[in-house]
Amino acid sequence: MSFLYSKSSEYIIRALVYLSNIDKEEYIMIKSISEHTNIPHPFLSKIFQKLAAKKWIISKKGKRGGVKLIADSSKLTLMDIIEWSDGVKDFSQCIFGDRECGDIIPKHDNSVWYPEKQSNCILYDKCNRFKAAIIDFFSNTTISEFKEHNSLFRQ
Amino acid sequence: MSFLYSKSSEYIIRALVYLSNIDKEEYIMIKSISEHTNIPHPFLSKIFQKLAAKKWIISKKGKRGGVKLIADSSKLTLMDIIEWSDGVKDFSQCIFGDRECGDIIPKHDNSVWYPEKQSNCILYDKCNRFKAAIIDFFSNTTISEFKEHNSLFRQ
DNA sequence: GAAATTTAGGATAAAAAAGTCCTCATAAAA
DNA sequence: TTTTATGAGGACTTTTTTATCCTAAATTTC
């Protein structure tokens, strides 16, 4: 299980934050976004193709073309982006193992495993607090919270 | 920047937790560990080669050989393992960008970036709380805390 | 309409991560 | 001493992720 996000997701977040800081009426060239966000241009182009299919942005070909954010950045969370880009994460899984967390325990003779509602995991609470911190941050942080926050970008 | 751990790190944690649950006097076959922890045997062998070089375990070749934990599991933290395996993480970096976090701001005319102690990042506190939760969990969880916690493993 | 510019889309390449295979060295047991 | 078992170590393969390239299509400007 992997909790955090891929490079692609990081790029998407950075690019969308950059776009959300731009006057909505203009189209911005991917090349320009690439330079300001320090994301490789061809790679960013691919990303924007998918973002357009997802309808979080619209694009325009040709002279004075580019891309424009159309999603509501105050509703677009990091979780939305990461799960769409990297795939949905299963926070019920043990972060160290390959099985469900807290619902499998051994019988007393230790011979058979069977499911049980209560957890016998020593780290159950500790892990859950950790997972909760991650879920909380991702789910409750939106692109619009970065508004005017341009220290992420190059001049 | 990537916060969490690779598959290799997950394997190391799972294997060391398994070993820490074993009577210290025995050598345990990597094949057996592999089966109980559901880690591919050849891959786990590679991992144990490195763990032996690191002196967290010792190994013995030949019949009745295997590996044995010699590190103090009550001092061995997840952070120790993850940083050794994946490389040291720089928590001063912005988790969305490629620059320092909270110490670079633009001049008023927006033309030059210069370092500054105070952060102008809107998400500075929020990100720091998030980072702190991760650092706290990794640094303050040791292998010995999983003692007797065998629901991670296969019978 | 022609030229210039910019995204779309498919193919490909490079890098990193994960996983495998084979032979050798070593140790214990027969 | 021979056989068998087991980790060491190097080379190799596969899969995933990240990144690039080239041509076509669309749009604006001249």
Side-chain angles (χ1 to χ4, degrees):
Chain A
M1 171 176 203
S2 131
F3 269 123
L4 290 189
Y5 41 82
S6 64
K7 202 88 182 164
S8 284
S9 289
E10 180 195 309
Y11 287 164
I12 296 171
I13 292 168
R14 206 144 87 235
L16 291 183
V17 168
Y18 181 81
L19 268 188
S20 79
N21 277 311
I22 301 284
D23 174 8
K24 285 284 198 308
E25 297 316 303
E26 302 174 30
Y27 282 90
I28 311 296
M29 278 197 297
I30 295 175
K31 187 90 185 80
S32 158
I33 301 171
S34 149
E35 280 157 6
H36 286 88
T37 57
N38 201 30
I39 299 169
H41 178 231
F43 197 71
L44 189 58
S45 291
K46 286 291 170 213
I47 285 172
F48 271 112
Q49 276 181 34
K50 290 176 198 150
L51 287 174
K54 177 68 178 174
K55 297 213 166 68
W56 280 341
I57 62 118
I58 51 173
S59 64
K60 197 170 78 170
K61 289 181 182 176
K63 257 190 179 169
R64 307 200 53 189
V67 296
K68 188 199 289 188
L69 183 65
I70 54 168
D72 180 348
S73 66
S74 70
K75 295 210 176 99
L76 194 55
T77 68
L78 300 184
M79 191 66 100
D80 294 334
I81 294 167
I82 294 164
E83 290 203 327
W84 171 70
S85 167
D86 296 345
V88 173
K89 293 167 199 313
D90 181 359
F91 286 95
S92 72
Q93 289 282 115
C94 173
I95 63 174
F96 306 112
D98 59 337
R99 53 176 68 235
E100 289 289 302
C101 172
D103 59 3
I104 293 181
I105 67 167
K107 273 198 173 172
H108 295 302
D109 66 357
N110 221 28
S111 65
V112 184
W113 300 89
Y114 67 94
E116 166 143 328
K117 281 289 171 203
Q118 254 107 21
S119 173
N120 76 327
C121 176
I122 293 167
L123 292 184
Y124 188 71
D125 289 339
K126 200 168 183 176
C127 284
N128 272 358
R129 281 196 303 276
F130 180 59
K131 286 179 186 175
I134 294 169
I135 294 170
D136 176 61
F137 181 75
F138 285 170
S139 302
N140 296 311
T141 302
T142 66
I143 292 298
S144 68
E145 289 183 58
F146 296 84
K147 210 127 184 83
E148 308 303 329
H149 173 44
N150 48 14
S151 78
L152 266 178
F153 312 114
R154 323 217 145 188
Q155 45 171 321
Chain B
M1 169 177 204
S2 131
F3 268 125
L4 290 190
Y5 41 83
S6 64
K7 204 85 183 166
S8 285
S9 289
E10 180 195 308
Y11 288 165
I12 296 171
I13 292 168
R14 206 144 88 234
L16 291 184
V17 168
Y18 182 80
L19 268 187
S20 77
N21 276 310
I22 301 284
D23 174 8
K24 286 283 201 305
E25 295 318 304
E26 303 174 29
Y27 282 90
I28 310 296
M29 279 196 296
I30 295 176
K31 188 89 183 81
S32 157
I33 301 171
S34 150
E35 281 157 7
H36 285 87
T37 56
N38 200 30
I39 300 169
H41 177 232
F43 198 69
L44 188 57
S45 292
K46 287 289 168 216
I47 285 173
F48 272 112
Q49 277 180 34
K50 290 176 197 150
L51 287 173
K54 179 67 180 173
K55 297 215 166 71
W56 280 340
I57 61 119
I58 52 172
S59 64
K60 197 170 76 170
K61 288 183 183 174
K63 257 189 179 170
R64 306 200 51 186
V67 296
K68 189 199 287 190
L69 184 65
I70 53 169
D72 181 348
S73 66
S74 71
K75 295 210 176 99
L76 194 56
T77 68
L78 299 184
M79 191 67 99
D80 293 333
I81 294 166
I82 293 164
E83 291 203 326
W84 172 70
S85 168
D86 295 345
V88 172
K89 292 165 199 313
D90 180 358
F91 285 96
S92 73
Q93 288 283 115
C94 173
I95 63 173
F96 307 111
D98 59 337
R99 51 175 67 237
E100 290 287 304
C101 171
D103 59 2
I104 293 181
I105 66 168
K107 272 198 173 170
H108 294 302
D109 66 357
N110 220 29
S111 66
V112 184
W113 299 90
Y114 65 97
E116 164 142 331
K117 281 289 172 203
Q118 253 107 18
S119 174
N120 77 328
C121 177
I122 294 168
L123 292 184
Y124 188 71
D125 290 337
K126 199 168 184 177
C127 284
N128 273 357
R129 281 196 304 276
F130 181 58
K131 287 179 186 175
I134 293 168
I135 294 170
D136 175 60
F137 181 75
F138 284 170
S139 302
N140 295 312
T141 302
T142 66
I143 292 298
S144 68
E145 287 184 59
F146 295 85
K147 209 127 185 84
E148 309 302 330
H149 173 44
N150 48 15
S151 78
L152 267 179
F153 312 115
R154 321 218 145 185
Q155 45 169 322

